[in-house]
Amino acid sequence: MIFWLAVDTIAAQLDADGDIDELQELVEGLSSGHSGFFDEVWRVDHPATAEVLEAMGRLHRDRKTAKDARKAAFKARSHHRR
């Protein structure tokens, strides 16, 4: 449930075209606040999961974490196409 809420919150921020710095802080805080965040979040059954993970990959300043987000987005797209 916490991952669904995280995806929903970021999706809402993306739709609102909010402050990029604020969104970046949210993305970084969520991903650092839970070990294995991207290992779990790609499985979330939310219509915006892949889109949110792609955005997280663009917004995160840590290159490795950004790459992990993009990998998770790929997994989410593959999983939800089934």
Side-chain angles (χ1 to χ4, degrees), residues 40-58:
E40 298 293 329
V41 75
W42 68 267
R43 294 178 175 95
V44 169
D45 189 23
H46 187 289
T49 298
E51 176 188 349
V52 163
L53 289 168
E54 279 291 332
M56 291 180 86
R58 287 190 309 272

Side-chain angles (χ1 to χ4, degrees), residues 4 21 30 37 41 47 49 53 71 73 75:
W4 193 94
D21 292 332
L30 285 170
F37 180 84
V41 75
T49 298
L53 289 168
K71 283 182 186 178
K75 287 180 184 179

Side-chain angles (χ1 to χ4, degrees), residues 4-81:
W4 193 94
L5 289 172
V7 169
D8 197 56
T9 300
I10 294 171
Q13 289 290 326
L14 290 170
D15 286 345
D17 291 326
D19 182 330
I20 263 308
D21 292 332
E22 194 174 292
L23 184 56
Q24 195 169 39
E25 286 179 30
L26 175 62
V27 163
E28 291 176 356
L30 285 170
S31 61
S32 68
H34 186 281
S35 65
F37 180 84
F38 295 113
D39 294 332
E40 298 293 329
V41 75
W42 68 267
R43 294 178 175 95
V44 169
D45 189 23
H46 187 289
T49 298
E51 176 188 349
V52 163
L53 289 168
E54 279 291 332
M56 291 180 86
R58 287 190 309 272
L59 291 167
H60 208 291
R61 290 176 279 207
D62 178 73
R63 290 174 55 107
K64 182 193 177 319
T65 304
K67 185 177 179 180
D68 290 343
R70 290 189 301 273
K71 283 182 186 178
F74 178 79
K75 287 180 184 179
R77 282 196 180 89
S78 297
H79 177 74
H80 292 290
R81 274 187 246 177

